């Protein structure tokens, strides 16, 4: 293999076990959207189910289809839009769908099958969903639609991992609870309520309702520094999360260039001394963001090698002057650990002016995902300390 992704599936399984310990009997629904946050859809799904996940969440029908084709029978919740002409397939795969349009409900009802749906209430994120009054009207419409069963009510936080000030998130929570109460007052049973992502699951033990939709945390990564700080401010120990993904490539060539030589497109880097470069067969088409040009480091022989010049579509140049034994076909770590060094998704996100989520989700789906149980180094500071949930705030 030339460029590939290794996934420590045992770490994924243990992360879900740690969340199980945290949430007790609340249903755990890890999301495997975006190719399992880059880890591989099926690898992630199977590892999570082995850890005791109750449901799986996906964004789109094609992800759910792949899970079902692989024999996964667990409940699947599709929280992204399903086009009207794909609803028949969604029903045949026994998927739970989020709905917020009458057109979707009417199309589902016309199928004559039983379909369980979840309404999405707008609580302040202003992406998918309906304001509470319209949710109520849609629930009434749904009650008159044969075969369509209202199973749950959901919403999504706008501002929980981006700040340690959770005033806005608490406002959203209050809106959500009001919407539930309004539905119940109108005679609608709401068997499942779910609002929590990873950050809310970690920070708000009393607001998990019937189910939590875990994402980044199941992959062993804290949603943000702010979430980690908010958890630490409660004075409790850290949750033992283990990242699972190592992104690797190989040295394709080692070459010497003189002082004063330009490297790469645009001549953005000039060597300041005689330099040894390693050429890597990976580039922005693989998800190695061009914004990392002249910024990121990679790991070779357990040491950091800085990226020189612009990252190309399929090729990256790194400086190995200070790694004299670097050689053809050496394993190179782009993300993850090697020896005692580690490049985290958060660090790469900082370099590329984005977040860990985007770094992971954009690792090319064409790159092979290899299951390597037990390969990921323990996360620094993640010794098996007891985690107790923070007090409700
Ligand atoms: C992605 C997503 C989640 C998971 O979010 P994390 O921050 O990764 O835990 C939960 N719910 C919805 C609707 C999502 O789109």
């Amino acid at each position: 293999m030339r460029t590939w992704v290794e996934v420590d599936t045992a770490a994924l399984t243990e992360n879900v076990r740690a969340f199980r310990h945290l949430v007790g009997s609340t249903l755990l629904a890890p999301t495997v959207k975006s190719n399992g946050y880059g880890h591989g859809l099926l690898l992630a799904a199977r590892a999570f189910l082995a850890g005791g996940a109750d449901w799986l969440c996906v964004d789109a029908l094609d992800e759910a289809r792949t899970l079902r084709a692989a024999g996964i029978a667990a409940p699947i919740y599709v929280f992204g839009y399903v086009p009207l002409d794909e609803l028949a397939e969604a029903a045949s795969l026994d998927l739970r769908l989020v709905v917020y349009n009458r057109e979707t409900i009417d199309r589902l009802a016309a199928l004559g099958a039983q379909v369980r749906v979840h309404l999405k209430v707008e609580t302040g994120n202003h992406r998918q969903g309906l304001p509470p009054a319209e949710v109520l009207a849609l629930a009434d419409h749904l009650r008159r639609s044969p075969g369509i069963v209202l199973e749950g009510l959901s919403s999504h936080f706008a501002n929980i991992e981006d700040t340690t000030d959770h005033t806005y998130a608490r406002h959203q929570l209050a809106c959500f609870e009001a919407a539930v109460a309004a539905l119940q007052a109108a005679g609608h049973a709401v068997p499942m309520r779910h609002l929590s992502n990873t950050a809310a699951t970690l920070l708000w033990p009393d607001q998990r309702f019937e189910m939590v939709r875990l994402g980044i945390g199941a992959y062993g990564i804290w949603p943000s520094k702010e979430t980690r700080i908010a958890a630490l401010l409660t004075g409790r120990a850290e949750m033992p999360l283990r990242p699972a993904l190592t992104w690797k490539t190989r040295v394709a060539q080692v070459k010497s260039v003189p002082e004063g030589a330009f490297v790469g497109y645009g001549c953005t880097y000039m060597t300041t001394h005689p330099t040894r470069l390693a050429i890597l067969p990976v580039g922005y088409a693989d998800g190695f963001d061009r914004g990392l040009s002249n910024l990121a480091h990679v790991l070779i022989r357990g040491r950091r090698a800085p990226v020189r010049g612009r990252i190309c579509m399929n090729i990256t140049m790194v400086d190995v002057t200070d790694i004299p034994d670097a050689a053809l076909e050496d394993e190179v770590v782009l993300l993850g650990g090697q020896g005692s060094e580690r490049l985290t998704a958060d660090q790469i996100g900082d370099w590329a002016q984005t977040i860990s989520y985007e770094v992971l989700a954009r690792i090319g789906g064409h790159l092979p995902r290899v299951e390597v149980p037990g390969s990921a180094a323990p996360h620094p500071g993640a010794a098996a300390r007891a985690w107790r949930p923070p007090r409700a705030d």
Side-chain angles (χ1 to χ4, degrees):
M1 276 178 297
R2 202 170 78 153
T3 301
W4 69 102
V5 173
E6 293 182 358
V7 181
D8 179 353
T9 46
L12 298 178
T13 297
E14 281 168 35
N15 292 334
V16 169
R17 286 208 184 103
F19 277 102
R20 166 62 66 215
H21 184 68
L22 182 66
V23 307
S25 60
T26 301
L27 293 178
L28 274 180
T31 168
V32 290
K33 65 185 176 192
S34 302
N35 201 22
Y37 285 46
H39 292 63
L41 174 66
L42 287 173
L43 285 190
R46 292 195 176 112
F48 291 156
L49 291 170
D54 301 290
W55 287 37
L56 295 171
C57 297
V58 297
D59 173 59
L61 177 68
D62 62 322
E63 297 163 327
R65 181 193 302 129
T66 304
L67 295 174
R68 287 285 186 249
I72 290 175
I76 297 175
Y77 176 56
V78 186
F79 53 44
Y81 184 63
V82 178
L84 301 176
D85 63 0
E86 294 179 6
L87 288 171
E89 184 183 358
S92 76
L93 294 173
D94 190 23
L95 308 179
R96 267 77 169 189
L97 305 179
V98 65
V99 295
Y100 38 86
N101 301 315
R102 273 177 191 245
E103 293 84 342
T104 300
I105 292 175
D106 293 346
R107 198 62 96 89
L108 285 172
L111 295 171
Q114 189 197 284
V115 185
R116 286 167 285 209
V117 301
H118 295 224
L119 297 176
K120 185 144 195 182
V121 59
E122 177 57 70
T123 57
N125 202 0
H126 296 109
R127 50 175 222 189
Q128 278 172 325
L130 292 171
E134 292 176 38
V135 164
L136 199 54
L138 199 62
D140 290 338
H141 182 66
L142 200 149
R143 189 156 43 191
R144 297 188 296 268
S145 306
I148 312 305
V149 180
L150 175 57
E151 184 175 48
L153 186 73
S154 74
S155 195
H156 194 52
F157 285 113
N159 200 26
I160 191 158
E161 57 267 322
D162 297 280
T163 171
T164 55
D165 174 356
H166 295 134
T167 313
Y168 195 74
R170 264 192 290 275
H171 159 75
Q172 284 193 268
L173 175 63
C175 291
F176 184 70
E177 288 178 321
V180 171
L183 279 174
Q184 288 169 339
H188 294 287
V190 187
M192 295 182 65
R193 299 161 298 169
H194 48 102
L195 176 63
S196 292
N197 55 8
T198 298
T201 302
L202 289 168
L203 296 175
W204 288 1
D206 297 329
Q207 316 300 348
R208 300 192 187 116
F209 300 106
E210 282 71 45
M211 183 165 88
V212 294
R213 305 184 309 259
L214 286 180
I216 198 86
Y219 297 94
I221 296 172
W222 280 76
S224 64
K225 291 187 188 73
E226 289 80 359
T227 305
R228 202 158 185 168
I229 290 166
L232 287 170
L233 283 176
T234 65
R236 307 299 172 106
E238 285 191 27
M239 178 87 170
L241 298 178
R242 268 174 65 200
L245 183 146
T246 310
W247 186 8
K248 294 184 173 178
T249 187
R250 286 182 198 285
V251 173
Q253 187 185 5
V254 180
K255 62 168 61 169
S256 298
V257 297
E259 179 183 335
F262 286 121
V263 181
Y265 289 130
C267 296
T268 61
Y269 184 81
M270 181 191 272
T271 57
T272 55
H273 49 75
T275 297
R276 287 200 352 127
L277 292 176
I279 313 305
L280 312 180
V282 64
Y284 60 77
D286 301 298
F288 201 55
D289 197 300
R290 190 165 174 275
L292 297 169
S293 299
N294 286 311
L295 264 181
H297 294 200
V298 303
L299 304 178
I300 299 178
R301 300 204 173 220
R303 303 186 52 194
R304 290 186 177 223
V307 171
R308 298 300 194 208
R310 289 218 181 116
I311 291 168
C312 314
M313 191 180 285
N314 307 112
I315 296 178
T316 297
M317 292 72 82
V318 299
D319 191 331
V320 292
T321 311
D322 297 326
I323 312 174
D325 46 352
L328 181 67
E329 301 226 338
D330 271 0
E331 224 172 74
V332 179
V333 167
L334 305 169
L335 191 172
Q338 193 185 57
S340 58
E341 278 285 3
R342 168 168 286 274
L343 298 168
T344 64
D346 287 305
Q347 169 70 78
I348 294 170
D350 284 348
W351 278 327
Q353 296 186 31
T354 181
I355 51 175
S356 59
Y357 293 72
E358 185 178 351
V359 171
L360 293 168
R362 294 183 67 178
I363 300 175
H366 59 287
L367 301 173
R369 266 63 178 177
V370 186
E371 189 173 358
V372 190
S375 64
H379 191 279
R385 276 177 279 155
W387 159 267
R388 282 167 299 140
R391 284 176 300 276
D393 53 1

